[in-house]
Amino acid sequence: MPRNRLALATALALLAAPALSACGSSAASDAKEVTVYSADGLKGENGDGWYDKVFADFTRQTGIKVKYVEGGSGEMVQRAVREKSNPQADVLVTLPPFIQQADAKGLLQKYEVKDAGQVSGADKAADGTWISVVDNYFCFVYDKKKLKQAPKTWAELLDPAYKNKLQYSTPGVAGDGTAVLIKAVHDFGGKEQALAYLKKLQANNVGPSASTGKLAPKVDKGELLVANGDVQMNYAQSKTMPDLGIWFPAGQDGKPSTFALPYAAGLVTKAPHSANGRKLLDFMLARTQQQEVSAIGGGFSARQDVKPTDANAVALTKLMDGVDFFEPDWTDIDKNLTSYVEDWKSATGS
C-alpha cells in the first residue's frame, strides 16, 4: 500500500477506535432510549392515545426516546421469556394474569415507583415487581347498527343468528381472551361448566385472534355482531367507530358483571436501560399523566387520589353504573393458567 494511503488508513483507524469501544455495555446503558413491550389498547391508531401523549411528553422532558413494541399480553411475555438471557425490553406492560406470570418467571425486578403509595394494594405486587398504570375492566362489544339492543346473557350468543358473526381473542395469547375464560368460569360456577358452554359457542365462533384490538373494527364495520374486549380500549375506539357498543354478560343471577383488567407495568430484570425504565414508570404514575388517562385514553386512573371530571370520566362512570364487580383468584389462575388454556383448547378443538 502506498505510504499516503497507509497513513490515511491508520488515521481513520485511530479515529474509529473510540467509537468502537463506545459500543460496549456502558454505552448501551447510558443510551437515551427506553424500550416498552406492551399489550395493545393504550396507543391510538391515529397517534392520539394515552401512550402517544405520555411518550411524547416523556421524550420532550427527558430527552429519552421511547421504542414501542405491541402485541397480546401472552405474546409479550413469551417474547420476554425468549430474550431472558439477553433482555431487549426495559418495561413490560400486560393485563392479568400475564403480569403475575411474568413475575413468576423472574422477568421483573423490584422497583417501588415514586407514587406507588397512591395505588391500591390490589393493583400492585406486594414486593414491588409490578404496578397498575391504567385501571380497566373486561367487557364485550356489539354492532349497534345491526342489533337494536345489546345481548344480555351468554345464552343469547348461542343463537344461530350469531354464526360466523362472533369472535373472541385467544385465551393464553391475549389478555382479554384469557379474560373471556375467567368470566365464563365465574358466571357458570366452575371450569367444567364454562368449558361445556364455550364448546357450544364454538359453532358460532369465527376462530382464533391473537389481538383483541383487531376485533372492534370488524364489529363497527358489521363483519361481526359481537366480540370481546375491555372498557378502556373499546371506549377509546368508539370515538371513531360510531357503531361500537359496550356490554357486560350477566351471570346466573341475571346481573351484568365484570372484573378489573388493569394495564400493569414492571421493570424488566437486567433491563438494558434500567434507569430510563424507572424514570418512565415514575412518569406514567405521576399525577399529570394519570389525570389524562380518562380524557385522552378513555381509561381509569390507577391513582386513588385522582378524581377526573372530564366528559370521558363522566361517561365511563355512567357506563359502569349497575354493573357488579368480582375479583378473580389470580393466585389460582396464575398457578393453573397453562392447564386452563389446554383444557379450553381440548373442549373447543382450537
Side-chain angles (χ1 to χ4, degrees), residues 273-286:
H273 312 104
S274 291
N276 296 344
R278 295 186 187 97
K279 290 178 182 178
L280 180 59
L281 286 171
D282 286 347
F283 192 80
M284 288 195 288
L285 260 297

Side-chain angles (χ1 to χ4, degrees), residues 178-310:
T178 306
V180 171
L181 183 56
I182 294 171
K183 177 74 160 67
V185 170
H186 172 269
D187 287 358
F188 288 97
K191 184 180 72 172
E192 297 306 318
Q193 299 93 315
L195 293 178
Y197 167 81
L198 292 173
K199 181 178 181 179
K200 295 178 183 178
L201 186 65
Q202 200 66 10
N204 289 342
N205 188 18
V206 171
S209 174
S211 172
T212 313
K214 295 180 180 179
L215 301 183
K218 294 182 180 180
V219 175
D220 182 65
K221 295 175 183 177
E223 296 176 23
L224 297 173
L225 292 177
V226 169
N228 70 306
D230 62 70
V231 174
Q232 178 278 324
M233 177 173 62
N234 295 143
Y235 181 81
Q237 289 172 318
S238 70
K239 295 295 184 178
T240 56
M241 300 178 189
D243 293 325
L244 195 67
I246 295 174
W247 68 287
F248 305 90
Q252 294 179 330
D253 59 2
K255 296 180 180 180
S257 65
T258 188
F259 63 98
L261 274 179
Y263 291 91
L267 188 66
V268 175
T269 301
K270 297 182 180 179
H273 312 104
S274 291
N276 296 344
R278 295 186 187 97
K279 290 178 182 178
L280 180 59
L281 286 171
D282 286 347
F283 192 80
M284 288 195 288
L285 260 297
R287 178 181 288 275
T288 297
Q289 283 63 52
Q290 287 294 304
Q291 288 176 329
E292 296 174 338
V293 167
S294 55
I296 296 175
F300 305 80
S301 173
R303 291 179 59 132
Q304 295 175 301
D305 62 336
V306 172
K307 308 294 183 183
T309 57
D310 59 89

Side-chain angles (χ1 to χ4, degrees), residues 12 19 24-25 29 36 50 58 65 146 155 169 177 269 277 295 321 334:
L12 289 174
S25 59
S29 63
V36 177
W50 186 69
F58 179 72
K65 181 180 179 181
K146 294 189 176 181
S169 51
T269 301
D321 187 37
D334 177 45

Side-chain angles (χ1 to χ4, degrees), residues 6 10 38 63 103 111 139 144 168 194 231 234 277 299 311 324-325:
L6 179 60
T10 303
S38 178
D103 191 7
Y111 174 61
C139 72
K144 294 194 295 184
Y168 62 92
V231 174
N234 295 143
D324 288 345
F325 300 89

